Amino acid sequence: QVQLVESGGGSVQSGGSLRLSCAASGYTSRRYPSLGWFRQAPGKEREWVASIESGGTPRYTDSVKGRFTISQDNAKNIMYLQMNSLKPEDSAMYYCAAREWGSGRYNYWGQGTQVTVSS
């Protein structure tokens, strides 16, 4: 089964940038047709941020459109989330996730990486 490990979180000032990485060992696009990024701030529910489907168009939640870019390096089995123009409301624990073929939801998760944006 796939194992996901996030990295790249940190603390930045408002307007700054970070690039998150998600190393996906055991990943194949055939078995896991969708990879995504989610985030959860203290006291809030986890929310979907962006996802990428095998051969499909990346999708983003409205609040990050134009600022975040999801991408995937298939040769290295790494997914990225480039985050620009960061805002304090982007502060959260960020998780990458994989959806297994036949599953209706993301069922494999990483441990998370913290992003903190100060004003």
Side-chain angles (χ1 to χ4, degrees):
Q1 65 185 35
V2 67
Q3 292 186 325
L4 306 171
V5 179
E6 304 94 334
S7 61
S11 297
V12 296
Q13 290 190 330
S14 182
S17 298
L18 284 173
R19 188 177 78 159
L20 305 183
S21 299
C22 174
S25 60
Y27 167 82
T28 63
S29 60
R30 184 179 182 89
R31 182 172 178 181
Y32 305 96
S34 180
L35 296 175
W37 287 98
F38 292 74
R39 65 187 180 187
Q40 187 169 20
K44 295 187 177 181
E45 292 188 353
R46 183 173 60 196
E47 66 168 339
W48 167 75
V49 176
S51 59
I52 188 166
E53 310 284 332
S54 298
T57 303
R59 298 184 300 126
Y60 303 91
T61 192
D62 286 345
S63 63
V64 308
K65 285 180 180 176
R67 300 188 298 121
F68 290 12
T69 303
I70 188 172
S71 62
Q72 187 176 357
D73 185 329
N74 291 320
K76 297 180 179 179
N77 282 352
I78 299 177
M79 178 177 63
Y80 301 100
L81 185 68
Q82 178 67 43
M83 305 186 296
N84 299 328
S85 302
L86 282 162
K87 304 175 181 181
E89 52 263 42
D90 294 319
S91 297
M93 184 71 78
Y94 282 71
Y95 300 90
C96 68
R99 179 173 61 81
E100 191 170 16
W101 182 262
S103 174
R105 60 179 183 172
Y106 288 89
N107 49 347
Y108 290 92
W109 296 84
Q111 83 289 348
T113 186
Q114 179 69 41
V115 171
T116 302
V117 184
S118 58
S119 57

